[in-house]
Amino acid sequence: AYTFNSLISGLCKAGDFEIAMELFEEMKKKGCPPDEFTYNILIDQFCISGKLGRALGLLKDMESNGCARSVVTYNTLIDGLCKSMRVEEAEEIFDQMELHGVSRNLVTYNTLIDGLCKSKRVDEATELMNKMILEGLKPDKLTYNSLLTYYCKEGNIKKAAEIVQTMTTNGCEADMVTYGTLISGLCKAGRTQVACKLLRSIQMKGMVPSPKAYNPVIQALFKQRKAKEAVRLFREMVEKGESPD
RNA sequence: UCCUUAUCGCUAG
């Protein structure tokens, strides 16, 4: 099955889904039954292509083929449902895990928290974060970033700053993803100057801002008709050894 | 051999 799984996964990534499915059928016929990994790969593919019904169908299949669902299986489905804007169903799957005796892990929580944030249900996302802490799981960068992204998109800089505060006090270092999110939030809120200052302070810390941290600022400067400043910033970025993207 | 987070752009609406 190992060989088949590698092939199927590779084919899916290359977009050759048809061939992957043929191999899947072949496995069953050739006495090499698909295992948990095979199913997870295919479920993920169906989710990515928006065929949730088929993904759920495979989930049923697993059971009848004596294949145990793992936490990854559930995580994949939860993510797929969230990305298709079917968060309610994702929540159902989340609840089902308990009944099936599969324990949720950090990824499970992060996935659903992100889904809730993207559906603008930030209060519930925050509740869920508290719940995970009660269950002994530690929120990580990804957890905080989902919330941070929500507040930044909303232009709620105050809340965003609070999140950064919380994450650092909980031992999560702000990284370039964090800064990139914050900077774009600041630009969106029209606080371009503050965003520039943040760029500076990142450099003071000895970090090199990524192009993704520069981009929103450059963009915002153009919108404010400050093309010269934008170009200056661009030059600076190149000098510091970053390749523009 | 399998799952989750940020910016911009592109495409569609």
Side-chain angles (χ1 to χ4, degrees), chain A residues 75-112:
Chain A
N75 290 345
T76 307
L77 272 167
I78 291 174
D79 184 49
L81 287 164
C82 286
K83 296 241 153 73
S84 304
M85 306 301 289
R86 289 163 64 168
V87 189
E88 290 82 5
E89 287 162 84
E91 292 177 273
E92 279 170 28
I93 300 274
F94 184 87
D95 293 334
Q96 273 177 31
M97 291 178 75
E98 208 153 33
L99 304 174
H100 283 86
V102 177
S103 11
R104 301 165 188 144
N105 63 15
L106 181 61
V107 175
T108 318
Y109 276 98
N110 283 347
T111 308
L112 189 54

PDB file of all heavy atoms in Angstrom, chain A residues 75-112:
ATOM      1  N   ASN A  75      -9.686  15.873  10.753  1.00  0.00           N
ATOM      2  CA  ASN A  75      -9.144  17.214  10.513  1.00  0.00           C
ATOM      3  C   ASN A  75      -9.293  17.620   9.056  1.00  0.00           C
ATOM      4  O   ASN A  75      -9.632  18.758   8.745  1.00  0.00           O
ATOM      5  CB  ASN A  75      -7.662  17.262  10.900  1.00  0.00           C
ATOM      6  CG  ASN A  75      -7.448  17.170  12.389  1.00  0.00           C
ATOM      7  OD1 ASN A  75      -8.378  17.342  13.167  1.00  0.00           O
ATOM      8  ND2 ASN A  75      -6.233  16.879  12.797  1.00  0.00           N
ATOM      9  N   THR A  76      -9.040  16.670   8.188  1.00  0.00           N
ATOM     10  CA  THR A  76      -9.152  16.941   6.757  1.00  0.00           C
ATOM     11  C   THR A  76     -10.574  17.341   6.404  1.00  0.00           C
ATOM     12  O   THR A  76     -10.804  18.319   5.677  1.00  0.00           O
ATOM     13  CB  THR A  76      -8.758  15.690   5.956  1.00  0.00           C
ATOM     14  OG1 THR A  76      -7.475  15.243   6.401  1.00  0.00           O
ATOM     15  CG2 THR A  76      -8.711  15.975   4.471  1.00  0.00           C
ATOM     16  N   LEU A  77     -11.530  16.597   6.913  1.00  0.00           N
ATOM     17  CA  LEU A  77     -12.930  16.892   6.625  1.00  0.00           C
ATOM     18  C   LEU A  77     -13.364  18.225   7.216  1.00  0.00           C
ATOM     19  O   LEU A  77     -14.081  18.997   6.571  1.00  0.00           O
ATOM     20  CB  LEU A  77     -13.817  15.790   7.192  1.00  0.00           C
ATOM     21  CG  LEU A  77     -14.039  14.615   6.256  1.00  0.00           C
ATOM     22  CD1 LEU A  77     -14.656  13.461   7.005  1.00  0.00           C
ATOM     23  CD2 LEU A  77     -14.937  15.036   5.092  1.00  0.00           C
ATOM     24  N   ILE A  78     -12.950  18.479   8.435  1.00  0.00           N
ATOM     25  CA  ILE A  78     -13.314  19.745   9.073  1.00  0.00           C
ATOM     26  C   ILE A  78     -12.787  20.906   8.242  1.00  0.00           C
ATOM     27  O   ILE A  78     -13.494  21.874   7.970  1.00  0.00           O
ATOM     28  CB  ILE A  78     -12.776  19.804  10.524  1.00  0.00           C
ATOM     29  CG1 ILE A  78     -13.544  18.802  11.391  1.00  0.00           C
ATOM     30  CG2 ILE A  78     -12.898  21.207  11.097  1.00  0.00           C
ATOM     31  CD1 ILE A  78     -13.009  18.653  12.801  1.00  0.00           C
ATOM     32  N   ASP A  79     -11.556  20.782   7.794  1.00  0.00           N
ATOM     33  CA  ASP A  79     -10.992  21.844   6.974  1.00  0.00           C
ATOM     34  C   ASP A  79     -11.758  21.990   5.668  1.00  0.00           C
ATOM     35  O   ASP A  79     -12.066  23.107   5.237  1.00  0.00           O
ATOM     36  CB  ASP A  79      -9.513  21.562   6.703  1.00  0.00           C
ATOM     37  CG  ASP A  79      -8.862  22.694   5.927  1.00  0.00           C
ATOM     38  OD1 ASP A  79      -9.032  23.854   6.340  1.00  0.00           O
ATOM     39  OD2 ASP A  79      -8.213  22.427   4.909  1.00  0.00           O
ATOM     40  N   GLY A  80     -12.052  20.871   5.033  1.00  0.00           N
ATOM     41  CA  GLY A  80     -12.779  20.923   3.768  1.00  0.00           C
ATOM     42  C   GLY A  80     -14.131  21.586   3.923  1.00  0.00           C
ATOM     43  O   GLY A  80     -14.521  22.426   3.101  1.00  0.00           O
ATOM     44  N   LEU A  81     -14.844  21.232   4.968  1.00  0.00           N
ATOM     45  CA  LEU A  81     -16.157  21.817   5.202  1.00  0.00           C
ATOM     46  C   LEU A  81     -16.045  23.310   5.487  1.00  0.00           C
ATOM     47  O   LEU A  81     -16.833  24.108   4.979  1.00  0.00           O
ATOM     48  CB  LEU A  81     -16.849  21.090   6.361  1.00  0.00           C
ATOM     49  CG  LEU A  81     -17.348  19.672   6.034  1.00  0.00           C
ATOM     50  CD1 LEU A  81     -17.661  18.887   7.293  1.00  0.00           C
ATOM     51  CD2 LEU A  81     -18.574  19.717   5.119  1.00  0.00           C
ATOM     52  N   CYS A  82     -15.059  23.686   6.278  1.00  0.00           N
ATOM     53  CA  CYS A  82     -14.879  25.108   6.578  1.00  0.00           C
ATOM     54  C   CYS A  82     -14.577  25.888   5.313  1.00  0.00           C
ATOM     55  O   CYS A  82     -15.121  26.968   5.085  1.00  0.00           O
ATOM     56  CB  CYS A  82     -13.734  25.301   7.575  1.00  0.00           C
ATOM     57  SG  CYS A  82     -14.158  24.823   9.252  1.00  0.00           S
ATOM     58  N   LYS A  83     -13.715  25.347   4.478  1.00  0.00           N
ATOM     59  CA  LYS A  83     -13.313  26.065   3.267  1.00  0.00           C
ATOM     60  C   LYS A  83     -14.471  26.160   2.280  1.00  0.00           C
ATOM     61  O   LYS A  83     -14.448  26.993   1.371  1.00  0.00           O
ATOM     62  CB  LYS A  83     -12.111  25.364   2.621  1.00  0.00           C
ATOM     63  CG  LYS A  83     -10.874  25.396   3.500  1.00  0.00           C
ATOM     64  CD  LYS A  83      -9.716  26.117   2.843  1.00  0.00           C
ATOM     65  CE  LYS A  83      -8.782  26.719   3.872  1.00  0.00           C
ATOM     66  NZ  LYS A  83      -7.959  25.731   4.570  1.00  0.00           N
ATOM     67  N   SER A  84     -15.454  25.278   2.404  1.00  0.00           N
ATOM     68  CA  SER A  84     -16.638  25.363   1.550  1.00  0.00           C
ATOM     69  C   SER A  84     -17.746  26.145   2.224  1.00  0.00           C
ATOM     70  O   SER A  84     -18.905  26.046   1.823  1.00  0.00           O
ATOM     71  CB  SER A  84     -17.153  23.974   1.209  1.00  0.00           C
ATOM     72  OG  SER A  84     -16.165  23.195   0.624  1.00  0.00           O
ATOM     73  N   MET A  85     -17.397  26.864   3.270  1.00  0.00           N
ATOM     74  CA  MET A  85     -18.365  27.660   4.008  1.00  0.00           C
ATOM     75  C   MET A  85     -19.460  26.807   4.636  1.00  0.00           C
ATOM     76  O   MET A  85     -20.606  27.227   4.718  1.00  0.00           O
ATOM     77  CB  MET A  85     -19.019  28.710   3.086  1.00  0.00           C
ATOM     78  CG  MET A  85     -18.028  29.607   2.352  1.00  0.00           C
ATOM     79  SD  MET A  85     -16.982  30.521   3.491  1.00  0.00           S
ATOM     80  CE  MET A  85     -18.176  31.670   4.162  1.00  0.00           C
ATOM     81  N   ARG A  86     -19.096  25.623   5.028  1.00  0.00           N
ATOM     82  CA  ARG A  86     -20.075  24.760   5.700  1.00  0.00           C
ATOM     83  C   ARG A  86     -19.602  24.497   7.119  1.00  0.00           C
ATOM     84  O   ARG A  86     -19.388  23.358   7.525  1.00  0.00           O
ATOM     85  CB  ARG A  86     -20.224  23.463   4.907  1.00  0.00           C
ATOM     86  CG  ARG A  86     -20.945  23.707   3.587  1.00  0.00           C
ATOM     87  CD  ARG A  86     -20.773  22.602   2.588  1.00  0.00           C
ATOM     88  NE  ARG A  86     -21.355  21.335   3.025  1.00  0.00           N
ATOM     89  CZ  ARG A  86     -21.529  20.288   2.219  1.00  0.00           C
ATOM     90  NH1 ARG A  86     -21.163  20.359   0.953  1.00  0.00           N
ATOM     91  NH2 ARG A  86     -22.040  19.172   2.658  1.00  0.00           N
ATOM     92  N   VAL A  87     -19.452  25.582   7.846  1.00  0.00           N
ATOM     93  CA  VAL A  87     -18.873  25.494   9.183  1.00  0.00           C
ATOM     94  C   VAL A  87     -19.757  24.712  10.143  1.00  0.00           C
ATOM     95  O   VAL A  87     -19.259  24.013  11.024  1.00  0.00           O
ATOM     96  CB  VAL A  87     -18.605  26.901   9.752  1.00  0.00           C
ATOM     97  CG1 VAL A  87     -17.819  26.831  11.037  1.00  0.00           C
ATOM     98  CG2 VAL A  87     -17.858  27.739   8.738  1.00  0.00           C
ATOM     99  N   GLU A  88     -21.067  24.831   9.950  1.00  0.00           N
ATOM    100  CA  GLU A  88     -21.959  24.113  10.861  1.00  0.00           C
ATOM    101  C   GLU A  88     -21.687  22.618  10.799  1.00  0.00           C
ATOM    102  O   GLU A  88     -21.634  21.939  11.821  1.00  0.00           O
ATOM    103  CB  GLU A  88     -23.429  24.365  10.524  1.00  0.00           C
ATOM    104  CG  GLU A  88     -23.918  25.768  10.819  1.00  0.00           C
ATOM    105  CD  GLU A  88     -23.554  26.745   9.712  1.00  0.00           C
ATOM    106  OE1 GLU A  88     -22.999  26.286   8.688  1.00  0.00           O
ATOM    107  OE2 GLU A  88     -23.808  27.949   9.886  1.00  0.00           O
ATOM    108  N   GLU A  89     -21.514  22.126   9.566  1.00  0.00           N
ATOM    109  CA  GLU A  89     -21.239  20.703   9.424  1.00  0.00           C
ATOM    110  C   GLU A  89     -19.873  20.347  10.000  1.00  0.00           C
ATOM    111  O   GLU A  89     -19.685  19.275  10.556  1.00  0.00           O
ATOM    112  CB  GLU A  89     -21.315  20.304   7.949  1.00  0.00           C
ATOM    113  CG  GLU A  89     -22.734  20.283   7.429  1.00  0.00           C
ATOM    114  CD  GLU A  89     -22.783  20.326   5.917  1.00  0.00           C
ATOM    115  OE1 GLU A  89     -22.661  19.261   5.300  1.00  0.00           O
ATOM    116  OE2 GLU A  89     -22.916  21.435   5.365  1.00  0.00           O
ATOM    117  N   ALA A  90     -18.951  21.267   9.850  1.00  0.00           N
ATOM    118  CA  ALA A  90     -17.623  21.040  10.430  1.00  0.00           C
ATOM    119  C   ALA A  90     -17.742  20.901  11.941  1.00  0.00           C
ATOM    120  O   ALA A  90     -17.107  20.044  12.552  1.00  0.00           O
ATOM    121  CB  ALA A  90     -16.687  22.191  10.075  1.00  0.00           C
ATOM    122  N   GLU A  91     -18.589  21.715  12.521  1.00  0.00           N
ATOM    123  CA  GLU A  91     -18.792  21.639  13.963  1.00  0.00           C
ATOM    124  C   GLU A  91     -19.409  20.290  14.355  1.00  0.00           C
ATOM    125  O   GLU A  91     -19.080  19.725  15.391  1.00  0.00           O
ATOM    126  CB  GLU A  91     -19.694  22.782  14.428  1.00  0.00           C
ATOM    127  CG  GLU A  91     -19.044  24.139  14.310  1.00  0.00           C
ATOM    128  CD  GLU A  91     -19.984  25.269  14.702  1.00  0.00           C
ATOM    129  OE1 GLU A  91     -20.721  25.741  13.824  1.00  0.00           O
ATOM    130  OE2 GLU A  91     -19.999  25.646  15.883  1.00  0.00           O
ATOM    131  N   GLU A  92     -20.288  19.795  13.487  1.00  0.00           N
ATOM    132  CA  GLU A  92     -20.884  18.484  13.768  1.00  0.00           C
ATOM    133  C   GLU A  92     -19.825  17.395  13.775  1.00  0.00           C
ATOM    134  O   GLU A  92     -19.800  16.545  14.661  1.00  0.00           O
ATOM    135  CB  GLU A  92     -21.951  18.154  12.721  1.00  0.00           C
ATOM    136  CG  GLU A  92     -23.279  18.814  13.001  1.00  0.00           C
ATOM    137  CD  GLU A  92     -24.232  18.665  11.812  1.00  0.00           C
ATOM    138  OE1 GLU A  92     -24.105  17.678  11.069  1.00  0.00           O
ATOM    139  OE2 GLU A  92     -25.083  19.559  11.639  1.00  0.00           O
ATOM    140  N   ILE A  93     -18.956  17.445  12.769  1.00  0.00           N
ATOM    141  CA  ILE A  93     -17.872  16.462  12.698  1.00  0.00           C
ATOM    142  C   ILE A  93     -17.003  16.571  13.955  1.00  0.00           C
ATOM    143  O   ILE A  93     -16.621  15.579  14.554  1.00  0.00           O
ATOM    144  CB  ILE A  93     -16.994  16.705  11.456  1.00  0.00           C
ATOM    145  CG1 ILE A  93     -17.818  16.594  10.180  1.00  0.00           C
ATOM    146  CG2 ILE A  93     -15.804  15.774  11.440  1.00  0.00           C
ATOM    147  CD1 ILE A  93     -17.967  15.203   9.643  1.00  0.00           C
ATOM    148  N   PHE A  94     -16.733  17.791  14.319  1.00  0.00           N
ATOM    149  CA  PHE A  94     -15.934  18.069  15.509  1.00  0.00           C
ATOM    150  C   PHE A  94     -16.551  17.389  16.733  1.00  0.00           C
ATOM    151  O   PHE A  94     -15.865  16.756  17.529  1.00  0.00           O
ATOM    152  CB  PHE A  94     -15.878  19.590  15.700  1.00  0.00           C
ATOM    153  CG  PHE A  94     -15.026  20.069  16.827  1.00  0.00           C
ATOM    154  CD1 PHE A  94     -13.674  20.283  16.635  1.00  0.00           C
ATOM    155  CD2 PHE A  94     -15.580  20.326  18.077  1.00  0.00           C
ATOM    156  CE1 PHE A  94     -12.881  20.740  17.675  1.00  0.00           C
ATOM    157  CE2 PHE A  94     -14.795  20.787  19.120  1.00  0.00           C
ATOM    158  CZ  PHE A  94     -13.434  20.993  18.916  1.00  0.00           C
ATOM    159  N   ASP A  95     -17.865  17.518  16.850  1.00  0.00           N
ATOM    160  CA  ASP A  95     -18.553  16.893  17.984  1.00  0.00           C
ATOM    161  C   ASP A  95     -18.546  15.377  17.885  1.00  0.00           C
ATOM    162  O   ASP A  95     -18.436  14.675  18.890  1.00  0.00           O
ATOM    163  CB  ASP A  95     -19.999  17.393  18.060  1.00  0.00           C
ATOM    164  CG  ASP A  95     -20.073  18.868  18.416  1.00  0.00           C
ATOM    165  OD1 ASP A  95     -19.136  19.358  19.067  1.00  0.00           O
ATOM    166  OD2 ASP A  95     -21.057  19.528  18.029  1.00  0.00           O
ATOM    167  N   GLN A  96     -18.676  14.893  16.658  1.00  0.00           N
ATOM    168  CA  GLN A  96     -18.708  13.439  16.451  1.00  0.00           C
ATOM    169  C   GLN A  96     -17.432  12.750  16.898  1.00  0.00           C
ATOM    170  O   GLN A  96     -17.450  11.584  17.281  1.00  0.00           O
ATOM    171  CB  GLN A  96     -18.893  13.126  14.966  1.00  0.00           C
ATOM    172  CG  GLN A  96     -20.325  13.085  14.510  1.00  0.00           C
ATOM    173  CD  GLN A  96     -20.374  12.834  13.022  1.00  0.00           C
ATOM    174  OE1 GLN A  96     -19.511  12.163  12.471  1.00  0.00           O
ATOM    175  NE2 GLN A  96     -21.380  13.389  12.366  1.00  0.00           N
ATOM    176  N   MET A  97     -16.340  13.455  16.801  1.00  0.00           N
ATOM    177  CA  MET A  97     -15.051  12.855  17.135  1.00  0.00           C
ATOM    178  C   MET A  97     -15.070  12.243  18.522  1.00  0.00           C
ATOM    179  O   MET A  97     -14.587  11.142  18.734  1.00  0.00           O
ATOM    180  CB  MET A  97     -13.938  13.897  17.060  1.00  0.00           C
ATOM    181  CG  MET A  97     -13.662  14.358  15.663  1.00  0.00           C
ATOM    182  SD  MET A  97     -12.410  15.627  15.585  1.00  0.00           S
ATOM    183  CE  MET A  97     -10.930  14.673  15.863  1.00  0.00           C
ATOM    184  N   GLU A  98     -15.656  12.981  19.420  1.00  0.00           N
ATOM    185  CA  GLU A  98     -15.733  12.521  20.796  1.00  0.00           C
ATOM    186  C   GLU A  98     -16.458  11.169  20.864  1.00  0.00           C
ATOM    187  O   GLU A  98     -15.992  10.232  21.489  1.00  0.00           O
ATOM    188  CB  GLU A  98     -16.479  13.553  21.631  1.00  0.00           C
ATOM    189  CG  GLU A  98     -16.072  13.554  23.077  1.00  0.00           C
ATOM    190  CD  GLU A  98     -16.281  14.926  23.707  1.00  0.00           C
ATOM    191  OE1 GLU A  98     -17.244  15.621  23.302  1.00  0.00           O
ATOM    192  OE2 GLU A  98     -15.483  15.284  24.571  1.00  0.00           O
ATOM    193  N   LEU A  99     -17.592  11.109  20.164  1.00  0.00           N
ATOM    194  CA  LEU A  99     -18.396   9.887  20.181  1.00  0.00           C
ATOM    195  C   LEU A  99     -17.627   8.706  19.603  1.00  0.00           C
ATOM    196  O   LEU A  99     -17.786   7.571  20.023  1.00  0.00           O
ATOM    197  CB  LEU A  99     -19.698  10.091  19.390  1.00  0.00           C
ATOM    198  CG  LEU A  99     -20.577  11.255  19.837  1.00  0.00           C
ATOM    199  CD1 LEU A  99     -21.754  11.427  18.890  1.00  0.00           C
ATOM    200  CD2 LEU A  99     -21.057  11.028  21.269  1.00  0.00           C
ATOM    201  N   HIS A 100     -16.795   8.988  18.600  1.00  0.00           N
ATOM    202  CA  HIS A 100     -16.041   7.924  17.966  1.00  0.00           C
ATOM    203  C   HIS A 100     -14.731   7.610  18.687  1.00  0.00           C
ATOM    204  O   HIS A 100     -13.944   6.799  18.229  1.00  0.00           O
ATOM    205  CB  HIS A 100     -15.745   8.269  16.516  1.00  0.00           C
ATOM    206  CG  HIS A 100     -16.927   8.084  15.612  1.00  0.00           C
ATOM    207  ND1 HIS A 100     -17.868   9.059  15.428  1.00  0.00           N
ATOM    208  CD2 HIS A 100     -17.328   7.027  14.862  1.00  0.00           C
ATOM    209  CE1 HIS A 100     -18.794   8.614  14.595  1.00  0.00           C
ATOM    210  NE2 HIS A 100     -18.494   7.392  14.238  1.00  0.00           N
ATOM    211  N   GLY A 101     -14.526   8.310  19.784  1.00  0.00           N
ATOM    212  CA  GLY A 101     -13.334   8.015  20.572  1.00  0.00           C
ATOM    213  C   GLY A 101     -12.029   8.477  19.939  1.00  0.00           C
ATOM    214  O   GLY A 101     -10.971   7.926  20.214  1.00  0.00           O
ATOM    215  N   VAL A 102     -12.119   9.479  19.083  1.00  0.00           N
ATOM    216  CA  VAL A 102     -10.888  10.029  18.501  1.00  0.00           C
ATOM    217  C   VAL A 102     -10.606  11.353  19.198  1.00  0.00           C
ATOM    218  O   VAL A 102     -11.466  12.232  19.221  1.00  0.00           O
ATOM    219  CB  VAL A 102     -11.055  10.268  16.990  1.00  0.00           C
ATOM    220  CG1 VAL A 102      -9.820  10.900  16.388  1.00  0.00           C
ATOM    221  CG2 VAL A 102     -11.385   8.964  16.282  1.00  0.00           C
ATOM    222  N   SER A 103      -9.423  11.497  19.775  1.00  0.00           N
ATOM    223  CA  SER A 103      -9.189  12.759  20.476  1.00  0.00           C
ATOM    224  C   SER A 103      -8.727  13.843  19.531  1.00  0.00           C
ATOM    225  O   SER A 103      -7.977  13.619  18.604  1.00  0.00           O
ATOM    226  CB  SER A 103      -8.199  12.604  21.635  1.00  0.00           C
ATOM    227  OG  SER A 103      -7.574  11.376  21.602  1.00  0.00           O
ATOM    228  N   ARG A 104      -9.205  15.016  19.824  1.00  0.00           N
ATOM    229  CA  ARG A 104      -8.874  16.180  19.007  1.00  0.00           C
ATOM    230  C   ARG A 104      -7.462  16.622  19.352  1.00  0.00           C
ATOM    231  O   ARG A 104      -7.057  16.579  20.497  1.00  0.00           O
ATOM    232  CB  ARG A 104      -9.832  17.310  19.328  1.00  0.00           C
ATOM    233  CG  ARG A 104     -11.249  16.928  19.089  1.00  0.00           C
ATOM    234  CD  ARG A 104     -12.177  17.927  19.745  1.00  0.00           C
ATOM    235  NE  ARG A 104     -13.539  17.430  19.669  1.00  0.00           N
ATOM    236  CZ  ARG A 104     -14.445  17.595  20.628  1.00  0.00           C
ATOM    237  NH1 ARG A 104     -14.146  18.253  21.716  1.00  0.00           N
ATOM    238  NH2 ARG A 104     -15.636  17.100  20.493  1.00  0.00           N
ATOM    239  N   ASN A 105      -6.779  17.084  18.368  1.00  0.00           N
ATOM    240  CA  ASN A 105      -5.448  17.614  18.640  1.00  0.00           C
ATOM    241  C   ASN A 105      -5.376  19.098  18.289  1.00  0.00           C
ATOM    242  O   ASN A 105      -6.385  19.724  17.977  1.00  0.00           O
ATOM    243  CB  ASN A 105      -4.368  16.792  17.914  1.00  0.00           C
ATOM    244  CG  ASN A 105      -4.526  16.852  16.406  1.00  0.00           C
ATOM    245  OD1 ASN A 105      -5.250  17.699  15.886  1.00  0.00           O
ATOM    246  ND2 ASN A 105      -3.840  15.967  15.710  1.00  0.00           N
ATOM    247  N   LEU A 106      -4.179  19.613  18.328  1.00  0.00           N
ATOM    248  CA  LEU A 106      -3.975  21.033  18.057  1.00  0.00           C
ATOM    249  C   LEU A 106      -4.495  21.418  16.669  1.00  0.00           C
ATOM    250  O   LEU A 106      -5.119  22.461  16.481  1.00  0.00           O
ATOM    251  CB  LEU A 106      -2.474  21.336  18.175  1.00  0.00           C
ATOM    252  CG  LEU A 106      -2.004  22.765  17.955  1.00  0.00           C
ATOM    253  CD1 LEU A 106      -2.617  23.703  18.975  1.00  0.00           C
ATOM    254  CD2 LEU A 106      -0.483  22.831  18.028  1.00  0.00           C
ATOM    255  N   VAL A 107      -4.243  20.551  15.701  1.00  0.00           N
ATOM    256  CA  VAL A 107      -4.683  20.843  14.332  1.00  0.00           C
ATOM    257  C   VAL A 107      -6.206  20.915  14.260  1.00  0.00           C
ATOM    258  O   VAL A 107      -6.770  21.791  13.595  1.00  0.00           O
ATOM    259  CB  VAL A 107      -4.138  19.791  13.346  1.00  0.00           C
ATOM    260  CG1 VAL A 107      -4.696  20.012  11.948  1.00  0.00           C
ATOM    261  CG2 VAL A 107      -2.625  19.833  13.316  1.00  0.00           C
ATOM    262  N   THR A 108      -6.878  20.011  14.946  1.00  0.00           N
ATOM    263  CA  THR A 108      -8.333  20.010  14.953  1.00  0.00           C
ATOM    264  C   THR A 108      -8.859  21.377  15.402  1.00  0.00           C
ATOM    265  O   THR A 108      -9.708  21.973  14.741  1.00  0.00           O
ATOM    266  CB  THR A 108      -8.869  18.940  15.923  1.00  0.00           C
ATOM    267  OG1 THR A 108      -8.098  17.752  15.796  1.00  0.00           O
ATOM    268  CG2 THR A 108     -10.331  18.653  15.660  1.00  0.00           C
ATOM    269  N   TYR A 109      -8.340  21.822  16.513  1.00  0.00           N
ATOM    270  CA  TYR A 109      -8.794  23.106  17.047  1.00  0.00           C
ATOM    271  C   TYR A 109      -8.418  24.258  16.123  1.00  0.00           C
ATOM    272  O   TYR A 109      -9.232  25.130  15.840  1.00  0.00           O
ATOM    273  CB  TYR A 109      -8.212  23.330  18.443  1.00  0.00           C
ATOM    274  CG  TYR A 109      -9.030  22.664  19.518  1.00  0.00           C
ATOM    275  CD1 TYR A 109      -8.674  21.426  20.029  1.00  0.00           C
ATOM    276  CD2 TYR A 109     -10.184  23.271  20.011  1.00  0.00           C
ATOM    277  CE1 TYR A 109      -9.440  20.797  21.000  1.00  0.00           C
ATOM    278  CE2 TYR A 109     -10.956  22.661  20.987  1.00  0.00           C
ATOM    279  CZ  TYR A 109     -10.576  21.424  21.482  1.00  0.00           C
ATOM    280  OH  TYR A 109     -11.344  20.818  22.440  1.00  0.00           O
ATOM    281  N   ASN A 110      -7.201  24.257  15.672  1.00  0.00           N
ATOM    282  CA  ASN A 110      -6.771  25.350  14.796  1.00  0.00           C
ATOM    283  C   ASN A 110      -7.636  25.446  13.550  1.00  0.00           C
ATOM    284  O   ASN A 110      -7.996  26.538  13.108  1.00  0.00           O
ATOM    285  CB  ASN A 110      -5.310  25.161  14.385  1.00  0.00           C
ATOM    286  CG  ASN A 110      -4.359  25.542  15.488  1.00  0.00           C
ATOM    287  OD1 ASN A 110      -4.748  26.172  16.466  1.00  0.00           O
ATOM    288  ND2 ASN A 110      -3.112  25.146  15.357  1.00  0.00           N
ATOM    289  N   THR A 111      -7.964  24.309  12.997  1.00  0.00           N
ATOM    290  CA  THR A 111      -8.752  24.287  11.774  1.00  0.00           C
ATOM    291  C   THR A 111     -10.132  24.882  11.997  1.00  0.00           C
ATOM    292  O   THR A 111     -10.586  25.737  11.230  1.00  0.00           O
ATOM    293  CB  THR A 111      -8.897  22.843  11.272  1.00  0.00           C
ATOM    294  OG1 THR A 111      -7.611  22.253  11.199  1.00  0.00           O
ATOM    295  CG2 THR A 111      -9.546  22.806   9.900  1.00  0.00           C
ATOM    296  N   LEU A 112     -10.788  24.440  13.051  1.00  0.00           N
ATOM    297  CA  LEU A 112     -12.133  24.935  13.303  1.00  0.00           C
ATOM    298  C   LEU A 112     -12.116  26.400  13.745  1.00  0.00           C
ATOM    299  O   LEU A 112     -12.982  27.188  13.350  1.00  0.00           O
ATOM    300  CB  LEU A 112     -12.843  24.066  14.338  1.00  0.00           C
ATOM    301  CG  LEU A 112     -14.335  24.348  14.531  1.00  0.00           C
ATOM    302  CD1 LEU A 112     -15.111  24.301  13.223  1.00  0.00           C
ATOM    303  CD2 LEU A 112     -14.957  23.381  15.530  1.00  0.00           C
TER     304      LEU A 112
END
